[in-house]
Amino acid sequence: MGRPGRGARVTTLLGALLLVGCSSSEGPGEGRSESGASSVTVHYISEASEEILSPNWDMPARFLVFMPLVRNDANGDLEGMLLSRWEHTPDYLTWTYHLRPNLRWHDGVPVTAHDIRFTIDLLNHPEVLGLSPGRYSDFTIHDDTTYTVTWEGGPPRGGGPRPLHDYMVFFPRHLLEDLDPAGFWSWDFWKQPVGNGPYRFVRRVAKTMIELEANPDFFSGKPRIDLVRLRFGGDAIVELLAGNVDILPWPVQPRDALKLKEDRRFVAYHSPQGAGVVLYWNHGNPLFADKKVRRALSLAVDREEIARVNDLPDMALYDVPYSPRQYVNGDVIPPLPHDPEASRRLLAEAGWEDEDGDGVRERDGVPFRFTALASPGPGGRAAIPLQAQLREVGVDMQIESLEFGLVKRSLRSGDFEAMVHRYRGDILVHGSPTGYANAEVLDLLEAITASISPVLEDSLYLELAPLFQADMPLIRLLPGVEMAMAHRKVKGLSSPWQIYPVWYMDELWIEEEE
């Protein structure tokens, strides 16, 4: 878990443009510690101890102190946080936002639309460069709680501001406007931040702990957990088993969650993400030029087995790109089945036969043999069962393991035959280093990236899905999965949409078992 590039954080699947209203959740009473106050302790790595609440660390701990515009509710729909409601024009280019009335910073000063504009301008300042520039042609503040933004051709994906941004938080203008932006990343403010979220900063013990208390002025009422302690250092699993912490926030590795599977004190929560691990082809290689062959290789893949090898939880598996709304509504087309017999038949139809009985198919005397570069972690673990599955249909995939940076460099340069690596949305583009050049598919992917309308985006994904599945420009091997772990006494979390304890701490409560 490292320090991010400035403004490089790509919004999660949970931040999709699901245009719905607000909701709240209720739960039973909370347990109490001996001091009479309910509390939880969250584990974080020691390197984050001084900056965990600052923009220097790309972690959801920020949501304890600061609020985004919106977040996902338990159903995967968007609910307002800073916002009470919002409207947009039919083309989704002009948006009007209404802040909740009576929002206050922790020092009692009202939160206003001027804070929103100040934060966006601050993060776009040339001395800060904390965001990709937002492509808006107009930002109009109507009053303290209402503002309108008009976008030029749609806002950028990734680090820039977007119509409904679930990961970006906003800062108090009255405390920061006179500070020098050149020192933004090291301002003392980040060590004792004044936010507008459900918890207020109380104290810090250097390299050991940060303590936060429930905000009695929080818009939905004082959170039911009174104290939250961020504890730094030590092995996360050891600290959890020893009872020193109650929560391991995202990201928990599936293999770590597996270690705790039989311990009934803890519950693992998981959420699907859009990245995952894929098998890239070099389309300039004659082995992969025929889409019938690419389809045959996909039919040879047993995704469920690969997921089991990587200790992933049971979840739906897909082989086409999809929108978050489609996932929520169950509208994603299923992947090609694991069908080795059909795979063998298609390979034979394409002229690939095992003529010498060595178990590897040949065509014109050339064996179907290639090398796949594999990145560490899930990439490498996915490559091993994939190798065996392809061998069952007569295809010999050799594996060459390289460190992450070398694999990434090879992908960018196109210097590979095949590659098992994390999915990157910026690879299947016109001029792709994979050599993939189906203009119809690439045009649709480009249109999806440029779209600001979720309705249009859904229709583009629906149009793309059968074309993508017919062409198989790559094979999705593993879904992206994020996991969190909490003690069973922490109630209010749920898979797949509310797995992040620090993101939803205001909705959680404690139930001590008898």
Side-chain angles (χ1 to χ4, degrees), residues 131-273:
L131 287 176
S132 302
R135 298 181 297 182
Y136 53 85
S137 58
D138 181 68
F139 193 118
T140 300
I141 296 177
H142 303 288
D143 55 46
D144 280 353
T145 60
T146 310
Y147 64 99
T148 296
V149 178
T150 297
W151 305 91
E152 291 183 342
R157 298 297 178 93
R162 296 183 306 282
L164 292 176
H165 205 311
D166 74 324
Y167 204 78
M168 182 177 177
V169 296
F170 301 87
F171 309 129
R173 183 181 70 161
H174 68 286
L175 295 177
L176 303 180
E177 61 183 338
D178 293 331
L179 299 183
D180 183 0
F184 173 83
W185 300 97
S186 58
W187 282 346
D188 287 341
F189 174 82
W190 307 123
K191 295 181 180 180
Q192 299 184 50
V194 175
N196 51 23
Y199 286 86
R200 305 185 301 195
F201 178 86
V202 176
R203 65 189 181 105
R204 174 192 303 271
V205 178
K207 300 183 179 180
T208 302
M209 181 268 289
I210 291 176
E211 186 172 87
L212 308 167
E213 66 180 1
N215 177 11
D217 297 323
F218 191 57
F219 75 86
S220 61
K222 181 182 176 182
R224 285 164 285 185
I225 297 177
D226 298 301
L227 296 173
V228 175
R229 296 182 180 91
L230 308 182
R231 181 184 175 100
F232 303 100
D235 180 90
I237 299 298
V238 172
E239 293 291 303
L240 187 66
L241 289 171
N244 295 327
V245 299
D246 306 302
I247 290 171
L248 304 186
W250 164 85
V252 174
Q253 297 302 317
R255 286 183 177 270
D256 288 337
L258 188 67
K259 297 175 185 176
L260 304 172
K261 185 176 181 180
E262 304 304 323
D263 193 324
R264 67 175 304 275
R265 291 178 296 169
F266 310 111
V267 180
Y269 301 92
H270 67 272
S271 176
Q273 301 300 311

Side-chain angles (χ1 to χ4, degrees), residues 339-405:
D339 191 342
E341 189 55 43
S343 175
R344 296 184 188 97
R345 184 173 63 253
L346 287 176
L347 288 170
E349 291 174 3
W352 292 97
E353 299 279 4
D354 181 10
E355 298 175 349
D356 57 10
D358 66 349
V360 179
R361 295 175 183 269
E362 300 89 23
R363 187 173 67 183
D364 300 328
V366 177
F368 203 134
R369 179 176 291 117
F370 64 93
T371 297
L373 305 182
S375 58
R381 293 196 297 272
I384 294 172
L386 174 65
Q387 180 184 47
Q389 292 165 11
L390 293 179
R391 189 63 187 238
E392 287 183 8
V393 299
V395 173
D396 184 16
M397 183 185 84
Q398 301 295 310
I399 301 172
E400 182 178 351
S401 298
L402 296 177
E403 65 95 11
F404 191 87

